[in-house]
Amino acid sequence: MEEGVVNEILQGPLRDVFDSKQLITDISGSGNNWAVGHKVFGSLYQEQILEKLRKSAEHCDCLQCFFIIHSMGGGTGSGLGTFLLKMLKDEFPDVYRFVTSVYPSGEDDVITSPYNSILAMKELNEHADCVLPIDNQSLFDIISKIDLMVNSGKLGTTIKPKSLVTSSAGAVKKRHQKPFDAMNNIVANLLLNLTSSARFEGSLNMDLNEISMNLVPFPQLHYLVSSLTPLYTLADVNIPTRRLDQMFSDAFSKDHQLIRADPKHSLYLACALMVRGNVQVSDLRRNIERLKPSLQFVSWNQEGWKTSLCSVPPVGHSHSLLALANNTCVKPTFMELRERFMRLYKKKAHLHHYLQIEGMEESCFMEALSSLSGLIEEYNQLDATKSMPVEDFPRLSVAM
Amino acid sequence: MVSIRASVKNKVLETTGHMECDFTQKKLFILSHGCLCFWSSYSVHGPRHEESIMNLIQKEVEKCDSLSGFFIIMSMAGGTGSGLGAFVTQKLQDQYSNSLKMNHIIWPYGTGEVIVQNYNSILTLSHLYRSSDALLVHENDAVHKICAKLMNIKQISFSDINQVLAHQLGSVFQPTYSVEGSCHYRRNPLGDLMENLVPHPEFKMLGIRNIPQMSENSLAYSTFTWAGLLKYLRQMLISNSKMEEGIDWHVRPPLSRLPTLGKASLNRELQFNTSIANLVILRGKDVHSADLGGFKDPALYTSWLKPINAFNVWKTQRAFSKYEKSAALVSNSQFLLKPLDTIVGKAWNMFASKAYIHQYTKFGLEEEDFLDSFTLLEQVVASYCNL
C-alpha cells in the first residue's frame, strides 16, 4: 500500500520483474493494524484487485496455484494479504493457495504484531491450502552463519563478483547494511526450489498441487516447516558443494530450518524432499533409509515420504535439496504467539485501534484465539500418540 | 500415450525420434496438468477427456489387421497413471468388450515415492480387478535389486530400471513358435498368455522372472546350460525369489500326500510359493533339449488344476538380446500375496485414522467407495492365501 516502498522497488534492479499494470498503491500504509489492512483497504480495493487478478488468470493455459508472500506482524501484509486469500478462495476455488508467511520474531519492533498475527492465523487456518511459516530470526541466524563461513576463510574461497547485493565492491559490508536483502534471498530460493519441478524436466516430477495432496493429511494441519541446503548457495558464494549425503543430513538439522523449530525431536506427519541436480533415485532412497531411524513418523504414515527429482540444478551449483516437513515442531511457535497475544489482550492494550474500525468487534479476537487454540490442540493430540506403541487397526475379515 | 505434461511429451518425442517406432505427435494425448490422486483422474479428468482419448485409440485399432488385445502400461502409486489407466481400462471394457485387456502395473517402492500411494494402489487394483483380464506386475523394489545386485549399477537411475523392465517384457512378448517343431510364429501371444495363465477370474495377478540377467562384463565369463537355468528358475518360483541371487534353497515343495486343507497352512509355514499356472519361455540354442520335468510336478500347483493344464512352454531357437540361452517364467502364483497384504494393511491403518480422506472426498469419492475397494482386495488376499 505504501507508495514509497513500491517506488523504491521500481527504481531498483528488479524493476523489470514486476508488471506495472499489476501494482496497487495507496498513500499511507495500514499503520500496523490488521483491521485497517483487512477491512478498510480490503473493501476499498476489492474490485481493483479482483480485476487485475482476473486479467492475469485469463492469460494462463492452466492455472495451478497462487503464491501469497506476506508478513504476519504488520497491517498490510497481514490484513490485506489474508483478505486477498479469502478472495482467491471465493473466486478461484479450484486453484491452490500457497502462502509464505513471515512470522514475527520475539524481538520485533511492532507492538501489535501478536494481534495482527493471530487475526491473520484464523484466515490462514480457514482459507490457505498450504502455509510455509518463516521467521526473521532464523533467516538472520542463517545469514550470520554464512558470513561466519565466508569471513573465517575456512573454505578458502572468494566471493563471486556479482553477489546477491547489487554492488560488487564491499559486498559483505553492504550485506550488513541491507540484511533484509540477504534474508529475502533465502525465501526467494525457497520458492524457486519449490517450483523447479514444475518448471523444469526431471525423472520424478512433482506438481505444486501434489505438495498439498501428499503433505496435508488433515485440512487444518497444513503448516510446513521448510529447510534448504546447501545454505551457502543462498549467499551466492563460490564454495564447492559438499557431499550429497551431507546435504541430506543437513536438511534435518535445526540450524537449517527457516523457522525456529527442531523437527528431528518432534513428530512427522509427512515429509517431502525436492532434489535438484544430478541426483539419482538410488541416492535418494539410500539417504531416506539412512535418516529414517532417527526420525519419528506418525503411526499411520511410517513411510510418509514424498520425493521429487528435477534434473536442473540451481545456478552455479551441482545439486540442492528443499525439505518440507509437516511436523508438530511448529506448535511452539504458535504457542508462543498465543502467549504474547494473551499478555496484550488481558490488559486490552491497543485494542481500541482495532475496535474503532467498522466491522471489528471483540468477538473477532475471541474467534481468532479459539481457532489458534483448536489448531494447537490438534498438534497436542498427535504428539500424545508419539509415545504410544504402534498398533495396527483390525482388518476387515472375509468369509471364505 | 496419455501424459500429464508437455515436458514429458517432448522428452518422449526426442528419445523416440531416432528409433524405428511410431511415436508421433498425433498419438500423444496431453493433459495440461498433473492429476493429484487416483480419484481426481478417474472421476474428473478421465470423463472430461474421454472422447479424445477413445478417438485416439479407435484410430489405432482401425489400423490393425487383427486386434489381439490391449496392453496398458501404468503405475499405481501416483495420480495420472493409476486413475486414467483404470478409467481407460473401464472404457475399453465397455467399448471393446470382446478384446482382451492386460494391464502392466508398476508396483511402487515400499517406501518414499508418493505418500498416498497405498490409497491410490488399492483404488487402482480394485477397479482393475473388475475391468481388466490380467494384471502383469513389476515391483520397483525387485527391479531395483536386480539393477544393484545383478547388473552391478552403482547409481541407479529410472532409465536403468526401465531397461530391465523392457528386457523382461521383451523376453515374454518377442515371437515364439506356435507349436513344438513348427516354423510358424505364434499369432496371438497376448491371448495365449492369458488363456494359459488366467483360468479363473479371481486370480489375475501375474509376475515375470528372467534368467540370466547380468551386466555385459559378467556375461563374457559365463556359460549356460538349460539344466542349470531351469533349476534356478524353478527354485526362484517356489521360494518366491525375484532374481537368481540370494535364492533360498531350503524351500522345498511339500509332500503331495497331505489333504488339501492341511497343505495350504503347511505351505505358508514353509514359505512355499504355490502356483496356479506357469508359462516358461525358452529362447536360444538347443532349446529342444531342455528338460522341463521340474515344472510339471503337481506339488507346485494348487489342487484344482492339473499340471497338464497349469503348465505351458513356448520355445524359439532365436536367442534374445545378448544371451545365448535365456528363460523367462510368467507365473500366476502367490508371489504378490505379501506385498498386496502389506499395501492393504497400510492403507487400512491410514483410512482408520481418517488421514488424507478429505483429499479424495473433495473429488467426489466417498468412504463407501474406499470400503468397497478394501473388501474386494481382502477377498483377493484370502483367495490367494488359501491356495
Side-chain angles (χ1 to χ4, degrees):
Chain A
M1 284 285 113
E2 282 171 47
E3 267 187 334
V5 173
V6 174
N7 285 338
E8 197 185 324
I9 294 179
L10 288 178
Q11 279 158 25
L14 296 175
R15 58 177 167 271
D16 293 328
V17 173
F18 297 97
D19 182 354
S20 58
K21 296 193 288 286
Q22 290 287 312
L23 301 170
I24 297 181
T25 57
D26 201 289
I27 302 169
S28 64
S30 310
N32 289 327
N33 188 332
W34 181 90
V36 172
H38 195 93
K39 308 269 184 201
V40 175
F41 285 136
S43 50
L44 216 66
Y45 289 99
Q46 183 173 9
E47 282 306 316
Q48 252 193 32
I49 296 174
L50 208 53
E51 180 67 31
K52 291 186 197 270
L53 276 173
R54 281 213 196 104
K55 270 216 182 92
S56 305
E58 268 159 31
H59 287 304
C60 298
D61 293 321
C62 168
L63 183 58
Q64 261 193 33
C65 77
F66 287 111
F67 278 102
I68 297 179
I69 307 160
H70 73 139
S71 76
M72 299 283 278
T76 311
S78 161
L80 189 56
T82 48
F83 179 82
L84 201 68
L85 183 63
K86 177 148 196 324
M87 200 162 63
L88 289 174
K89 186 173 180 180
D90 294 334
E91 291 296 320
F92 304 92
D94 294 331
V95 181
Y96 283 79
R97 295 166 294 282
F98 277 79
V99 186
T100 309
S101 309
V102 183
Y103 279 69
S105 322
E107 316 85 34
D108 86 312
D109 54 354
V110 178
I111 299 185
T112 50
S113 65
Y115 284 161
N116 295 332
S117 306
I118 302 262
L119 289 164
M121 274 290 287
K122 173 165 176 291
E123 307 295 313
L124 291 182
N125 275 345
E126 288 170 20
H127 308 306
D129 289 307
C130 254
V131 178
L132 301 167
I134 315 264
D135 86 67
N136 276 336
Q137 190 58 48
S138 303
L139 293 180
F140 191 73
D141 290 341
I142 289 173
I143 297 294
S144 312
K145 217 185 314 274
I146 296 171
D147 281 347
L148 206 68
M149 279 202 293
V150 167
N151 289 336
S152 70
K154 246 188 208 168
L155 299 146
T157 51
T158 51
I159 303 173
K160 270 195 191 146
K162 280 200 170 55
S163 79
L164 63 89
V165 186
T166 47
S167 87
S168 51
V172 176
K173 232 177 165 188
K174 245 228 155 136
R175 205 200 317 273
H176 285 304
Q177 288 165 10
K178 276 196 159 191
F180 285 112
D181 274 0
M183 288 154 69
N184 289 341
N185 195 41
I186 299 178
V187 182
N189 272 287
L190 161 72
L191 293 172
L192 281 178
N193 283 354
L194 194 66
T195 54
S196 61
S197 192
R199 290 179 291 126
F200 300 119
E201 55 164 36
S203 52
L204 205 54
N205 286 308
M206 180 152 95
D207 273 341
L208 295 157
N209 39 25
E210 286 177 52
I211 296 176
S212 171
M213 177 65 178
N214 283 282
L215 295 179
V216 183
F218 305 106
Q220 274 241 308
L221 305 182
H222 54 243
Y223 294 86
L224 309 178
V225 177
S226 47
S227 68
L228 279 175
T229 59
L231 281 179
Y232 37 81
T233 51
L234 311 168
D236 202 33
V237 293
N238 194 11
I239 302 176
T241 323
R242 281 156 89 174
R243 280 186 316 124
L244 194 63
D245 288 13
Q246 185 61 49
M247 186 174 79
F248 278 91
S249 302
D250 286 343
F252 292 89
S253 101
K254 68 175 175 8
D255 298 332
H256 284 62
Q257 310 298 323
L258 299 190
I259 187 175
R260 261 166 343 150
D262 187 10
K264 248 187 160 159
H265 295 106
S266 303
L267 189 67
Y268 274 91
L269 295 167
C271 185
L273 296 174
M274 306 179 66
V275 187
R276 295 181 69 172
N278 185 21
V279 181
Q280 298 305 339
V281 61
S282 53
D283 299 313
L284 204 52
R285 310 206 58 74
R286 182 184 67 245
N287 278 289
I288 291 177
E289 286 308 312
R290 186 172 63 86
L291 292 163
K292 232 169 50 157
S294 58
L295 305 169
Q296 280 189 32
F297 273 80
V298 75
S299 64
W300 42 259
N301 208 4
Q302 292 278 303
E303 284 108 21
W305 297 91
K306 169 75 179 140
T307 52
S308 88
L309 290 169
C310 170
S311 29
V312 178
V315 175
H317 289 271
S318 61
H319 39 72
S320 77
L321 169 66
L322 164 66
L324 295 174
N326 192 342
N327 188 308
T328 56
C329 64
V330 279
K331 199 178 61 171
T333 305
F334 298 151
M335 286 172 71
E336 204 188 293
L337 208 58
R338 185 170 61 176
E339 243 180 72
R340 290 171 60 199
F341 174 89
M342 288 313 294
R343 259 183 263 145
L344 279 180
Y345 192 64
K346 261 198 238 170
K347 308 278 188 199
K348 308 272 187 241
H350 301 278
L351 219 51
H352 60 285
H353 294 297
Y354 292 81
L355 297 177
Q356 74 193 14
I357 306 290
E358 196 189 315
M360 280 299 286
E361 288 161 15
E362 269 209 51
S363 59
C364 295
F365 284 85
M366 294 318 295
E367 279 166 22
L369 186 64
S370 115
S371 167
L372 183 62
S373 295
L375 183 68
I376 293 175
E377 188 45 38
E378 285 211 40
Y379 280 113
N380 274 334
Q381 282 180 359
L382 282 166
D383 269 336
T385 65
K386 230 186 349 178
S387 41
M388 284 170 20
V390 178
E391 266 172 34
D392 286 336
F393 287 91
R395 298 258 293 267
L396 293 174
S397 53
V398 180
M400 277 306 292
Chain B
M1 174 177 153
V2 178
S3 171
I4 58 163
R5 61 183 82 199
S7 62
V8 174
K9 162 191 118 177
N10 290 336
K11 194 97 198 178
V12 167
L13 287 177
E14 182 192 304
T15 328
T16 58
H18 58 274
M19 292 184 196
E20 278 187 39
C21 66
D22 205 11
F23 252 138
T24 58
Q25 192 86 320
K26 287 184 294 211
K27 299 195 187 187
L28 297 176
F29 173 78
I30 308 294
L31 258 185
S32 44
H33 54 85
C35 293
L36 295 187
C37 66
F38 172 88
W39 201 252
S40 75
S41 46
Y42 185 84
S43 69
V44 173
H45 300 293
R48 210 180 273 173
H49 303 282
E50 185 182 336
E51 215 183 301
S52 325
I53 300 177
M54 296 314 284
N55 279 343
L56 263 179
I57 295 177
Q58 190 165 347
K59 277 209 186 87
E60 293 303 311
V61 166
E62 278 162 14
K63 285 190 207 156
C64 298
D65 294 320
S66 150
L67 179 67
S68 328
F70 296 97
F71 188 68
I72 303 140
I73 304 176
M74 54 192 268
S75 75
M76 224 168 49
T80 315
S82 66
L84 279 179
F87 178 78
V88 169
T89 309
Q90 177 68 57
K91 291 299 147 195
L92 291 175
Q93 168 88 314
D94 298 337
Q95 217 170 314
Y96 303 93
S97 49
N98 289 328
S99 297
L100 294 169
K101 287 167 299 299
M102 178 180 283
N103 289 70
H104 178 232
I105 301 180
I106 304 296
W107 198 269
Y109 283 103
T111 65
E113 262 190 56
V114 174
I115 293 179
V116 289
Q117 66 188 40
N118 297 320
Y119 279 166
N120 288 340
S121 301
I122 58 129
L123 290 167
T124 310
L125 283 172
S126 59
H127 279 79
L128 287 180
Y129 233 83
R130 292 178 205 130
S131 53
S132 177
D133 300 305
L135 309 177
L136 186 61
V137 175
H138 261 118
E139 297 166 79
N140 265 348
D141 279 309
V143 179
H144 192 104
K145 269 207 194 104
I146 291 176
C147 287
K149 300 268 162 68
L150 298 183
M151 313 297 279
N152 275 322
I153 304 173
K154 293 279 176 286
Q155 252 201 334
I156 299 166
S157 66
F158 278 117
S159 165
D160 298 316
I161 296 201
N162 288 341
Q163 270 207 311
V164 172
L165 289 179
H167 176 92
Q168 293 209 336
L169 287 176
S171 71
V172 171
F173 288 106
Q174 286 279 296
T176 53
Y177 293 123
S178 53
V179 178
E180 185 89 45
S182 94
C183 46
H184 292 295
Y185 281 116
R186 203 168 285 277
R187 296 277 287 273
N188 186 1
L190 196 67
D192 292 341
L193 199 105
M194 295 210 249
E195 192 188 313
N196 291 337
L197 294 174
V198 189
H200 190 297
E202 182 73 0
F203 302 95
K204 285 183 183 168
M205 312 233 269
L206 311 178
I208 302 182
R209 282 166 187 74
N210 241 331
I211 190 166
Q213 268 206 295
M214 52 182 62
S215 60
E216 295 269 355
N217 306 338
S218 313
L219 195 55
Y221 303 104
S222 316
T223 50
F224 307 108
T225 61
W226 285 120
L229 289 175
L230 290 172
K231 179 175 170 196
Y232 268 73
L233 198 60
R234 182 175 181 271
Q235 193 61 23
M236 276 159 73
L237 170 66
I238 62 182
S239 67
N240 198 11
S241 177
K242 311 279 163 55
M243 58 181 188
E244 65 236 49
E245 204 178 294
I247 301 178
D248 185 354
W249 290 95
H250 291 114
V251 179
R252 291 249 181 279
L255 303 163
S256 45
R257 287 193 302 276
L258 284 172
T260 325
L261 235 61
K263 193 174 168 196
S265 53
L266 185 61
N267 286 352
R268 273 200 290 280
E269 263 178 58
L270 298 172
Q271 298 188 333
F272 176 79
N273 185 32
T274 308
S275 303
I276 293 172
N278 286 311
L279 169 67
V280 169
I281 303 165
L282 304 174
R283 298 176 190 275
K285 231 167 67 162
D286 305 325
V287 85
H288 52 270
S289 67
D291 172 19
L292 290 139
F295 285 94
K296 295 181 186 164
D297 181 358
L300 261 55
Y301 299 96
T302 182
S303 55
W304 43 267
L305 210 55
K306 296 206 173 15
I308 190 151
N309 298 317
F311 177 69
N312 283 280
V313 59
W314 295 354
K315 295 183 188 168
T316 172
Q317 303 274 44
R318 203 176 160 143
F320 176 61
S321 189
K322 46 191 193 263
Y323 302 104
E324 181 198 70
K325 297 187 180 77
S326 66
L329 167 69
V330 188
S331 94
N332 187 344
S333 69
Q334 293 175 315
F335 83 102
L336 211 50
L337 179 54
K338 199 147 171 277
L340 180 61
D341 191 52
T342 308
I343 279 196
V344 174
K346 287 190 183 150
W348 183 249
N349 273 337
M350 221 185 238
F351 181 69
S353 311
K354 304 254 175 280
Y356 296 102
I357 301 289
H358 72 284
Q359 303 276 13
Y360 289 81
T361 51
K362 73 175 171 206
F363 291 109
L365 186 65
E366 297 187 9
E367 292 195 11
E368 281 297 309
D369 300 311
F370 268 102
L371 285 171
D372 286 342
S373 297
F374 279 115
T375 314
L376 192 149
L377 290 178
E378 292 283 10
Q379 181 75 57
V380 173
V381 167
S383 303
Y384 268 101
C385 203
N386 288 313
L387 280 181

